[in-house]
Protein backbone atom coordinates (compact mmCIF):
# COMPACT_ATOMS: atom_id res chain seq x y z
CA UNK A 1 0.00 0.00 0.00
CA UNK A 2 1.45 3.37 -1.01
CA UNK A 3 2.05 5.97 1.71
CA UNK A 4 -0.71 8.25 0.35
CA UNK A 5 -3.26 5.39 0.34
CA UNK A 6 -2.10 4.38 3.83
CA UNK A 7 -2.55 7.99 4.97
CA UNK A 8 -6.09 8.07 3.56
CA UNK A 9 -6.98 4.88 5.42
CA UNK A 10 -5.37 6.02 8.68
CA UNK A 11 -7.21 9.36 8.64
CA UNK A 12 -10.66 7.74 8.30
CA UNK A 13 -11.14 4.61 10.42
CA UNK A 14 -13.73 2.11 9.21
CA UNK A 15 -15.72 -0.22 11.45
CA UNK A 16 -18.01 -2.72 9.71
CA UNK A 17 -21.00 -3.94 11.70
CA UNK A 18 -23.95 -6.05 10.64
CA UNK A 19 -25.97 -3.34 8.90
CA UNK A 20 -24.04 -0.14 9.64
CA UNK A 21 -20.66 1.31 8.77
CA UNK A 22 -19.03 3.52 11.41
CA UNK A 23 -16.53 6.03 9.99
CA UNK A 24 -14.29 7.88 12.45
CA UNK A 25 -12.39 11.01 11.44
CA UNK A 26 -8.94 10.34 12.84
CA UNK A 27 -6.74 13.43 13.06
CA UNK A 28 -7.38 14.26 16.72
CA UNK A 29 -4.29 16.49 17.12
CA UNK A 30 -5.61 18.65 14.27
CA UNK A 31 -9.17 18.50 15.70
CA UNK A 32 -10.00 16.22 12.74
CA UNK A 33 -9.49 19.04 10.23
CA UNK A 34 -10.37 17.67 6.79
CA UNK A 35 -7.37 16.98 4.59
CA UNK A 36 -7.67 16.29 0.86
CA UNK A 37 -6.94 12.64 1.64
CA UNK A 38 -9.79 12.44 4.18
CA UNK A 39 -12.26 14.02 1.79
CA UNK A 40 -11.21 11.66 -1.02
CA UNK A 41 -11.56 8.63 1.26
CA UNK A 42 -14.99 9.69 2.54
CA UNK A 43 -16.19 10.23 -1.03
CA UNK A 44 -14.92 6.78 -2.02
CA UNK A 45 -16.57 5.09 0.98
CA UNK A 46 -19.94 6.85 0.69
CA UNK A 47 -20.13 5.98 -3.03
CA UNK A 48 -19.31 2.33 -2.30
CA UNK A 49 -21.80 2.03 0.58
CA UNK A 50 -24.62 3.41 -1.53
CA UNK A 51 -24.10 0.54 -4.00
CA UNK A 52 -23.85 -2.11 -1.25
CA UNK A 53 -27.27 -3.58 -0.33
CA UNK A 54 -25.84 -4.91 2.96
CA UNK A 55 -25.19 -1.36 4.23
CA UNK A 56 -28.34 0.22 5.67
CA UNK A 57 -26.88 3.35 7.26
CA UNK A 58 -23.62 5.23 7.81
CA UNK A 59 -22.50 6.64 11.16
CA UNK A 60 -19.90 9.42 11.07
CA UNK A 61 -18.03 10.62 14.17
CA UNK A 62 -14.71 12.14 15.23
CA UNK A 63 -11.90 10.89 17.44
CA UNK A 64 -11.00 13.04 20.45
CA UNK A 65 -12.62 16.31 21.51
CA UNK A 66 -13.77 17.37 18.05
CA UNK A 67 -16.12 15.98 15.46
CA UNK A 68 -14.34 18.13 12.88
CA UNK A 69 -13.02 21.69 13.25
CA UNK A 70 -13.23 22.41 9.49
CA UNK A 71 -11.23 21.99 6.33
CA UNK A 72 -7.44 22.02 6.63
CA UNK A 73 -7.21 25.64 5.45
CA UNK A 74 -3.51 25.98 6.28
CA UNK A 75 -2.71 23.08 3.94
CA UNK A 76 -4.87 24.66 1.23
CA UNK A 77 -3.00 27.98 1.52
CA UNK A 78 0.37 26.21 1.33
CA UNK A 79 -0.83 24.29 -1.75
CA UNK A 80 -1.88 27.56 -3.43
CA UNK A 81 1.48 29.15 -2.64
CA UNK A 82 3.24 26.12 -4.12
CA UNK A 83 1.00 25.38 -7.10
CA UNK A 84 -1.32 28.32 -7.76
CA UNK A 85 -5.00 28.89 -7.10
CA UNK A 86 -6.06 25.74 -8.95
CA UNK A 87 -4.56 23.63 -6.16
CA UNK A 88 -7.04 25.27 -3.79
CA UNK A 89 -9.86 24.90 -6.30
CA UNK A 90 -9.21 21.14 -6.51
CA UNK A 91 -9.61 20.82 -2.74
CA UNK A 92 -12.96 22.62 -2.76
CA UNK A 93 -14.19 20.78 -5.87
CA UNK A 94 -13.66 17.47 -4.05
CA UNK A 95 -15.09 18.76 -0.76
CA UNK A 96 -18.24 20.24 -2.31
CA UNK A 97 -18.80 17.04 -4.32
CA UNK A 98 -18.75 15.13 -1.02
CA UNK A 99 -21.17 17.65 0.51
CA UNK A 100 -23.57 17.16 -2.41
CA UNK A 101 -23.34 13.37 -2.17
CA UNK A 102 -24.19 13.53 1.54
CA UNK A 103 -27.06 15.96 0.93
CA UNK A 104 -28.60 13.65 -1.66
CA UNK A 105 -27.68 10.31 -0.09
CA UNK A 106 -30.20 7.51 -0.50
CA UNK A 107 -29.37 5.97 2.90
CA UNK A 108 -29.49 7.62 6.33
CA UNK A 109 -26.30 9.28 7.59
CA UNK A 110 -26.09 9.71 11.36
CA UNK A 111 -23.46 12.26 12.43
CA UNK A 112 -22.41 12.14 16.09
CA UNK A 113 -21.43 15.74 16.91
CA UNK A 114 -19.81 15.13 20.29
CA UNK A 115 -17.43 18.11 20.33
CA UNK A 116 -16.31 20.90 18.01
CA UNK A 117 -18.11 21.06 14.66
CA UNK A 118 -17.05 24.06 12.60
CA UNK A 119 -16.67 25.12 8.97
CA UNK A 120 -16.09 22.09 6.78
CA UNK A 121 -17.13 19.86 9.67
CA UNK A 122 -20.64 21.18 9.14
CA UNK A 123 -20.36 20.35 5.45
CA UNK A 124 -19.89 16.64 6.25
CA UNK A 125 -22.67 16.55 8.86
CA UNK A 126 -25.43 19.14 8.33
CA UNK A 127 -26.41 17.72 4.93
CA UNK A 128 -26.95 14.24 6.37
CA UNK A 129 -30.34 13.04 7.58
CA UNK A 130 -29.55 12.90 11.33
CA UNK A 131 -27.30 15.16 13.41
CA UNK A 132 -26.89 14.14 17.04
CA UNK A 133 -25.69 16.88 19.41
CA UNK A 134 -24.45 16.38 22.97
CA UNK A 135 -23.50 18.52 25.95
CA UNK A 136 -20.02 18.77 24.36
CA UNK A 137 -21.13 20.13 20.96
CA UNK A 138 -19.84 23.50 19.77
CA UNK A 139 -21.08 24.71 16.38
CA UNK A 140 -19.70 27.67 14.39
CA UNK A 141 -19.18 28.93 10.85
CA UNK A 142 -16.28 31.36 11.54
CA UNK A 143 -15.29 32.09 7.94
CA UNK A 144 -15.84 35.87 7.85
CA UNK A 145 -13.03 36.27 10.43
CA UNK A 146 -10.75 34.44 7.97
CA UNK A 147 -11.62 36.45 4.86
CA UNK A 148 -13.70 33.58 3.49
CA UNK A 149 -17.50 33.00 3.61
CA UNK A 150 -19.73 30.22 4.99
CA UNK A 151 -19.29 27.58 2.28
CA UNK A 152 -19.76 23.76 2.13
CA UNK A 153 -23.44 24.38 1.33
CA UNK A 154 -23.97 26.70 4.30
CA UNK A 155 -25.97 29.10 2.14
CA UNK A 156 -28.49 26.24 1.93
CA UNK A 157 -28.64 25.11 5.57
CA UNK A 158 -28.14 28.49 7.26
CA UNK A 159 -30.83 30.16 5.13
CA UNK A 160 -33.33 27.57 6.36
CA UNK A 161 -32.89 28.31 10.06
CA UNK A 162 -35.72 30.17 11.85
CA UNK A 163 -36.16 33.83 10.85
CA UNK A 164 -32.82 35.50 10.14
CA UNK A 165 -30.85 33.38 12.61
CA UNK A 166 -28.79 31.99 9.71
CA UNK A 167 -27.63 35.46 8.70
CA UNK A 168 -26.63 36.12 12.32
CA UNK A 169 -24.71 32.85 12.67
CA UNK A 170 -23.07 33.16 9.24
CA UNK A 171 -21.93 36.77 9.53
CA UNK A 172 -20.77 36.72 13.16
CA UNK A 173 -19.35 33.19 13.43
CA UNK A 174 -21.31 32.85 16.70
CA UNK A 175 -20.76 29.64 18.65
CA UNK A 176 -23.78 27.53 19.55
CA UNK A 177 -23.98 24.72 22.09
CA UNK A 178 -25.85 21.45 21.67
CA UNK A 179 -29.11 22.74 23.16
CA UNK A 180 -29.06 25.75 20.80
CA UNK A 181 -28.27 23.50 17.84
CA UNK A 182 -31.33 21.39 18.65
CA UNK A 183 -33.56 24.44 19.19
CA UNK A 184 -32.75 26.01 15.81
CA UNK A 185 -32.75 22.75 13.84
CA UNK A 186 -29.05 22.31 13.16
CA UNK A 187 -29.26 19.13 15.26
CA UNK A 188 -32.09 16.62 14.91
CA UNK A 189 -31.47 14.95 18.30
CA UNK A 190 -29.73 15.61 21.63
CA UNK A 191 -28.18 12.61 23.39
CA UNK A 192 -25.99 12.81 26.52
CA UNK A 193 -22.47 11.70 25.56
CA UNK A 194 -22.55 8.87 28.12
CA UNK A 195 -25.34 7.22 26.08
CA UNK A 196 -23.62 7.43 22.69
CA UNK A 197 -22.18 3.86 22.82
CA UNK A 198 -25.72 2.54 23.39
CA UNK A 199 -27.05 4.59 20.45
CA UNK A 200 -24.33 3.23 18.17
CA UNK A 201 -24.95 -0.36 19.27
CA UNK A 202 -28.70 -0.04 18.68
CA UNK A 203 -28.19 1.54 15.26
CA UNK A 204 -25.80 -1.21 14.20
CA UNK A 205 -28.50 -3.79 14.89
CA UNK A 206 -31.12 -1.92 12.83
CA UNK A 207 -31.80 -3.84 9.62
CA UNK A 208 -33.42 -0.77 8.05
CA UNK A 209 -32.77 2.37 6.04
CA UNK A 210 -36.18 3.75 7.00
CA UNK A 211 -35.55 7.20 8.54
CA UNK A 212 -38.62 6.83 10.77
CA UNK A 213 -37.18 3.66 12.31
CA UNK A 214 -33.67 5.15 12.64
CA UNK A 215 -35.08 8.29 14.28
CA UNK A 216 -37.16 6.24 16.74
CA UNK A 217 -34.04 4.30 17.78
CA UNK A 218 -32.12 7.53 18.51
CA UNK A 219 -35.21 8.95 20.28
CA UNK A 220 -34.95 6.22 22.93
CA UNK A 221 -31.74 7.78 24.22
CA UNK A 222 -32.62 11.46 23.76
CA UNK A 223 -33.01 14.12 26.42
CA UNK A 224 -34.59 17.56 26.15
CA UNK A 225 -31.77 19.95 27.06
CA UNK A 226 -32.46 23.29 28.70
CA UNK A 227 -31.30 26.43 26.96
CA UNK A 228 -28.93 28.40 29.18
CA UNK A 229 -30.28 31.64 30.63
CA UNK A 230 -28.10 33.86 28.43
CA UNK A 231 -28.70 31.90 25.24
CA UNK A 232 -28.58 33.89 22.03
CA UNK A 233 -31.65 31.94 20.95
CA UNK A 234 -33.71 34.09 23.30
CA UNK A 235 -32.64 37.13 21.21
CA UNK A 236 -34.44 36.07 18.06
CA UNK A 237 -36.61 39.20 18.08
CA UNK A 238 -33.55 41.49 18.02
CA UNK A 239 -31.74 39.21 15.54
CA UNK A 240 -34.72 39.25 13.17
CA UNK A 241 -35.10 43.03 13.41
CA UNK A 242 -31.44 43.64 12.66
CA UNK A 243 -30.29 40.79 10.41
CA UNK A 244 -33.33 41.09 8.13
CA UNK A 245 -31.92 44.38 6.84
CA UNK A 246 -30.97 44.53 3.16
CA UNK A 247 -27.25 45.33 3.51
CA UNK A 248 -24.45 44.75 6.02
CA UNK A 249 -24.29 48.51 6.62
CA UNK A 250 -28.01 48.55 7.46
CA UNK A 251 -27.59 45.54 9.78
CA UNK A 252 -24.86 47.42 11.70
CA UNK A 253 -26.98 50.57 11.88
CA UNK A 254 -29.93 48.57 13.24
CA UNK A 255 -27.71 46.95 15.88
CA UNK A 256 -26.33 50.37 16.90
CA UNK A 257 -29.89 51.66 17.34
CA UNK A 258 -30.63 48.65 19.57
CA UNK A 259 -27.57 49.43 21.73
CA UNK A 260 -28.83 52.97 22.33
CA UNK A 261 -32.22 51.62 23.35
CA UNK A 262 -31.10 48.67 25.48
CA UNK A 263 -27.48 49.15 26.65
CA UNK A 264 -27.04 45.46 25.96
CA UNK A 265 -23.56 43.88 26.19
CA UNK A 266 -24.45 41.11 23.75
CA UNK A 267 -25.49 43.59 21.05
CA UNK A 268 -22.30 45.61 21.59
CA UNK A 269 -20.20 42.43 21.28
CA UNK A 270 -22.05 41.49 18.07
CA UNK A 271 -21.25 44.92 16.58
CA UNK A 272 -17.57 44.56 17.49
CA UNK A 273 -17.41 41.07 15.94
CA UNK A 274 -18.85 42.36 12.67
CA UNK A 275 -16.43 45.30 12.64
CA UNK A 276 -13.44 42.94 13.05
CA UNK A 277 -14.50 40.67 10.17
CA UNK A 278 -13.45 41.12 6.55
CA UNK A 279 -15.79 43.68 4.97
CA UNK A 280 -15.65 41.84 1.65
CA UNK A 281 -16.44 38.54 3.37
CA UNK A 282 -19.43 40.04 5.16
CA UNK A 283 -20.88 41.35 1.92
CA UNK A 284 -20.46 38.19 -0.13
CA UNK A 285 -21.68 36.06 2.83
CA UNK A 286 -24.89 38.04 3.27
CA UNK A 287 -25.71 37.87 -0.41
CA UNK A 288 -24.86 34.15 -0.54
CA UNK A 289 -27.23 33.28 2.31
CA UNK A 290 -29.99 35.45 0.83
CA UNK A 291 -29.65 33.82 -2.60
CA UNK A 292 -29.49 30.42 -0.90
CA UNK A 293 -33.00 30.88 0.48
CA UNK A 294 -34.46 30.27 -2.97
CA UNK A 295 -32.00 27.68 -4.32
CA UNK A 296 -31.70 23.93 -3.97
CA UNK A 297 -28.62 22.42 -2.36
CA UNK A 298 -26.94 21.65 -5.71
CA UNK A 299 -27.33 25.21 -6.96
CA UNK A 300 -26.01 26.54 -3.63
CA UNK A 301 -22.86 24.39 -3.83
CA UNK A 302 -22.28 25.25 -7.50
CA UNK A 303 -22.54 28.97 -6.73
CA UNK A 304 -20.31 28.64 -3.66
CA UNK A 305 -17.71 26.87 -5.82
CA UNK A 306 -17.65 29.87 -8.16
CA UNK A 307 -17.31 32.16 -5.16
CA UNK A 308 -14.48 30.17 -3.56
CA UNK A 309 -12.55 30.06 -6.85
CA UNK A 310 -12.71 33.86 -7.03
CA UNK A 311 -11.49 34.00 -3.41
CA UNK A 312 -8.57 31.65 -4.21
CA UNK A 313 -7.62 33.72 -7.27
CA UNK A 314 -7.44 36.87 -5.13
CA UNK A 315 -8.38 39.16 -8.04
CA UNK A 316 -10.79 41.39 -6.14
CA UNK A 317 -9.46 40.93 -2.60
CA UNK A 318 -6.65 38.99 -0.94
CA UNK A 319 -8.44 38.95 2.42
CA UNK A 320 -8.48 35.14 2.59
CA UNK A 321 -4.68 34.97 2.56
CA UNK A 322 -4.40 37.85 5.03
CA UNK A 323 -6.96 36.24 7.34
CA UNK A 324 -5.13 32.92 7.28
CA UNK A 325 -1.86 34.72 8.01
CA UNK A 326 -3.27 36.66 10.97
CA UNK A 327 -5.45 33.95 12.52
CA UNK A 328 -3.82 30.62 11.61
CA UNK A 329 -0.16 31.23 10.69
CA UNK A 330 1.37 34.26 12.47
CA UNK A 331 -1.55 34.27 14.95
CA UNK A 332 -1.27 37.99 15.67
CA UNK A 333 -5.09 38.19 15.26
CA UNK A 334 -4.70 41.56 13.59
CA UNK A 335 -5.62 41.15 9.93
CA UNK A 336 -5.27 44.14 7.62
CA UNK A 337 -8.33 43.88 5.39
CA UNK A 338 -8.32 45.50 1.96
CA UNK A 339 -10.69 47.17 1.27
CA UNK A 340 -10.87 48.07 4.94
CA UNK A 341 -14.37 49.58 5.03
CA UNK A 342 -17.77 48.34 3.90
CA UNK A 343 -18.50 51.57 2.07
CA UNK A 344 -15.42 51.09 -0.13
CA UNK A 345 -16.88 47.91 -1.68
CA UNK A 346 -19.20 48.45 -4.64
CA UNK A 347 -22.08 46.11 -5.42
CA UNK A 348 -20.48 45.50 -8.81
CA UNK A 349 -17.43 44.05 -7.06
CA UNK A 350 -19.63 41.65 -5.09
CA UNK A 351 -21.40 40.69 -8.33
CA UNK A 352 -18.10 39.37 -9.67
CA UNK A 353 -17.85 36.71 -6.94
CA UNK A 354 -21.08 35.20 -8.26
CA UNK A 355 -19.99 35.11 -11.92
CA UNK A 356 -18.19 32.38 -13.85
CA UNK A 357 -14.42 32.40 -13.53
CA UNK A 358 -12.83 33.83 -16.66
CA UNK A 359 -10.25 31.14 -17.26
CA UNK A 360 -10.38 28.91 -20.32
CA UNK A 361 -9.67 25.71 -18.38
CA UNK A 362 -12.06 26.44 -15.53
CA UNK A 363 -15.30 24.47 -15.16
CA UNK A 364 -18.32 24.79 -12.89
CA UNK A 365 -18.82 22.25 -10.11
CA UNK A 366 -19.89 18.86 -11.46
CA UNK A 367 -21.26 16.90 -8.50
CA UNK A 368 -21.83 13.11 -8.58
CA UNK A 369 -24.76 11.90 -10.71
CA UNK A 370 -27.70 10.84 -8.56
CA UNK A 371 -30.40 9.83 -11.08
CA UNK A 372 -29.95 6.05 -10.78
CA UNK A 373 -30.72 5.99 -7.07
CA UNK A 374 -34.20 5.85 -5.59
CA UNK A 375 -33.89 9.01 -3.53
CA UNK A 376 -36.18 9.39 -0.50
CA UNK A 377 -38.67 12.29 -0.37
CA UNK A 378 -36.62 14.25 2.19
CA UNK A 379 -33.71 14.28 -0.31
CA UNK A 380 -35.87 15.19 -3.32
CA UNK A 381 -37.16 18.19 -1.32
CA UNK A 382 -33.60 19.60 -1.23
CA UNK A 383 -33.19 19.57 -4.99
Amino acid sequence: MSSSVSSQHDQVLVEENSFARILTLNRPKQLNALSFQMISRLLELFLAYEEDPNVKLVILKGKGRAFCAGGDVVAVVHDIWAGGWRAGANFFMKEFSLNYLMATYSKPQVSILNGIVMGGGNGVSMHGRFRVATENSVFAMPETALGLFPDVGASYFLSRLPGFFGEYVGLTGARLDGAEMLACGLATHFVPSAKLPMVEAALCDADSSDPVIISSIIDQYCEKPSLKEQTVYNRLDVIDRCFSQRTVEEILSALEREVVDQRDGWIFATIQTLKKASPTSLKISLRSIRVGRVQGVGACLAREYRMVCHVMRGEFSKDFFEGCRAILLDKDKNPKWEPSKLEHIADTTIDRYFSKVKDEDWEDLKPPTRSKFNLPPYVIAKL
Side-chain angles (χ1 to χ4, degrees):
M1 185 182 290
S2 72
S3 60
S4 64
V5 173
S6 174
S7 171
Q8 275 191 19
H9 288 246
D10 291 344
Q11 291 182 21
V12 180
L13 305 178
V14 178
E15 187 180 333
E16 297 189 358
N17 289 279
S18 41
F19 303 110
R21 297 295 179 266
I22 301 176
L23 306 181
T24 304
L25 305 177
N26 185 38
R27 297 180 77 203
K29 289 181 180 175
Q30 293 83 18
L31 301 179
N32 300 320
L34 293 170
S35 65
F36 187 81
Q37 291 88 348
M38 289 169 87
I39 292 166
S40 300
R41 180 68 172 146
L42 287 170
L43 195 55
E44 173 192 318
L45 290 167
F46 269 80
L47 287 168
Y49 295 154
E50 196 160 40
E51 301 270 8
D52 186 344
N54 297 315
V55 178
K56 305 294 185 181
L57 75 144
V58 181
I59 298 171
L60 185 63
K61 62 181 185 177
K63 189 171 187 179
R65 66 188 184 94
F67 169 76
C68 172
D72 192 344
V73 177
V74 172
V76 172
V77 170
H78 284 305
D79 286 347
I80 292 170
W81 285 341
W85 71 274
R86 287 186 172 284
N90 289 341
F91 177 93
F92 287 102
M93 171 75 83
K94 184 79 77 171
E95 183 179 28
F96 290 7
S97 295
L98 174 63
N99 300 151
Y100 182 76
L101 177 63
M102 290 174 162
T104 58
Y105 209 56
S106 61
K107 299 177 182 183
Q109 174 187 339
V110 181
S111 300
I112 309 291
L113 308 176
N114 185 35
I116 296 164
V117 52
M118 296 183 181
N122 290 307
V124 295
S125 57
M126 293 300 149
H127 296 297
R129 183 64 183 86
F130 300 109
R131 289 93 56 194
V132 180
T134 75
E135 74 280 5
N136 300 317
S137 300
V138 182
F139 167 97
M141 291 298 291
E143 286 80 5
T144 60
L146 274 179
L148 196 53
F149 61 92
D151 59 342
V152 297
S155 63
Y156 180 83
F157 62 77
L158 290 182
S159 64
R160 281 151 180 81
L161 298 185
F164 293 86
F165 196 60
E167 278 90 338
Y168 164 73
V169 169
L171 295 184
T172 65
R175 295 187 174 200
L176 307 177
D177 63 22
E180 291 165 330
M181 290 172 68
L182 184 70
C184 74
L186 288 166
T188 57
H189 297 79
F190 184 98
V191 175
S193 59
K195 293 185 179 179
L196 290 177
M198 291 180 278
V199 174
E200 285 184 34
L203 289 172
C204 288
D205 289 336
D207 182 8
S208 177
S209 288
D210 184 338
V212 175
I213 293 172
I214 301 303
S215 187
S216 67
I217 291 170
I218 304 171
D219 284 340
Q220 295 171 32
Y221 303 93
C222 279
E223 288 187 5
K224 184 88 165 92
S226 299
L227 289 165
K228 57 183 184 282
E229 192 177 339
Q230 295 298 315
T231 176
V232 69
Y233 207 64
N234 288 340
R235 315 286 189 127
L236 279 181
D237 56 338
V238 176
I239 287 170
D240 285 351
R241 273 200 303 275
C242 297
F243 285 84
S244 60
Q245 301 297 320
R246 191 179 61 86
T247 66
V248 180
E249 291 94 328
E250 288 167 3
I251 288 171
L252 274 165
S253 295
L255 286 164
E256 283 163 351
R257 285 194 298 273
E258 295 281 345
V259 164
V260 172
D261 293 342
Q262 298 189 39
R263 302 281 179 201
D264 189 318
W266 167 78
I267 298 174
F268 181 76
T270 301
I271 292 168
Q272 295 309 113
T273 298
L274 291 172
K275 287 184 173 178
K276 284 180 183 172
S278 157
T280 300
S281 290
L282 291 174
K283 289 207 168 193
I284 63 174
S285 298
L286 180 61
R287 186 182 296 188
S288 180
I289 294 167
R290 293 278 161 86
V291 174
R293 284 175 176 264
V294 295
Q295 288 185 325
V297 68
C300 284
L301 283 161
R303 172 178 42 73
E304 289 175 13
Y305 181 67
R306 288 184 178 188
M307 294 168 67
V308 85
C309 285
H310 283 298
V311 169
M312 298 298 110
R313 281 164 65 91
E315 291 170 281
F316 317 126
S317 168
K318 293 184 169 49
D319 279 2
F320 171 62
F321 300 98
E322 173 59 10
C324 289
R325 180 206 64 74
I327 308 299
L328 301 176
L329 298 171
D330 297 346
K331 300 184 180 180
D332 58 48
K333 297 184 178 176
N334 188 28
K336 301 288 188 286
W337 306 125
E338 186 56 46
S340 60
K341 295 185 184 300
L342 291 163
E343 56 267 30
H344 294 166
I345 305 165
D347 287 346
T348 51
T349 301
I350 301 307
D351 293 342
R352 293 175 182 170
Y353 283 91
F354 294 77
S355 64
K356 281 192 171 186
V357 173
K358 291 176 180 174
D359 185 298
E360 60 183 31
D361 296 325
W362 182 86
E363 292 184 341
D364 269 318
L365 182 71
K366 288 188 171 57
T369 305
R370 316 296 298 130
S371 54
K372 70 175 178 175
F373 294 100
N374 185 20
L375 300 179
Y378 66 84
V379 166
I380 293 168
K382 298 180 186 178
L383 305 175

